[in-house]
Amino acid sequence: MRWVVDGNNVFGSRPDGWWNDRPAAQRRLAQRTAEWCRTHDDEVLLVFDAPLADETARLAGGNLTIVESSRRGRDAADHEIVERLAGLEHSGDTADVRVITSDKGLRERVPVWASVWGVGRFRDLIGY
């Protein structure tokens, strides 16, 4: 399985004060995702809106890739995810792809060959 995670959508799904310190919210999710990645071999791409703090980016490794959107602004990570999915389609590497988001706009842009999970289900899975 290849997981493509809308990071901002995941940490923003609960009103825990994340808006007071976005870099810390990114880091907490990335750390928990990294811990979860150690329990299996699935590839995980965690996408955040720019900017991404260096300390969060350094949590990547093994089967976890962490990226910031190539542009800034509203829905920047959504655009990055759609572009990454288009790259997978172009390469023919579309088997077993799961996108994690509860964003309706992004869900509508996910190709039919990828499945979509809501963030609550993913949060439960990784214990976040």
Side-chain angles (χ1 to χ4, degrees):
M1 179 65 61
R2 177 176 294 135
W3 303 79
V4 180
V5 182
D6 182 353
N8 290 70
N9 194 243
V10 174
F11 75 68
S13 67
R14 299 232 171 103
D16 62 2
W18 61 264
W19 51 88
N20 293 318
D21 191 348
R22 271 182 197 255
Q26 288 176 338
R27 190 173 51 258
R28 284 190 302 271
L29 174 58
Q31 181 62 50
R32 184 64 206 119
T33 304
E35 291 166 4
W36 178 71
C37 282
R38 288 189 209 111
T39 67
H40 58 82
D41 295 328
D42 293 352
E43 292 180 39
V44 177
L45 173 64
L46 183 55
V47 182
F48 290 109
D49 289 336
L52 178 65
D54 289 341
E55 59 194 28
T56 301
R58 284 193 293 270
L59 294 169
N63 57 337
L64 174 61
T65 303
I66 301 172
V67 298
E68 71 176 5
S69 59
S70 57
R71 59 177 150 183
R72 293 179 185 257
R74 184 170 171 81
D75 298 327
D78 296 1
H79 295 294
E80 185 72 28
I81 289 168
V82 170
E83 289 176 12
R84 299 272 178 148
L85 293 172
L88 291 175
E89 188 166 22
H90 181 72
S91 70
D93 193 12
T94 60
D96 299 323
V97 176
R98 182 168 291 152
V99 177
I100 307 302
T101 188
S102 291
D103 181 294
K104 183 180 179 211
L106 178 55
R107 282 176 171 263
E108 291 172 353
R109 297 172 64 193
V110 171
V112 297
W113 48 261
S115 62
V116 179
W117 270 21
V119 298
R121 191 171 179 189
F122 182 71
R123 287 179 77 120
D124 290 345
L125 179 70
I126 69 170
Y128 176 72

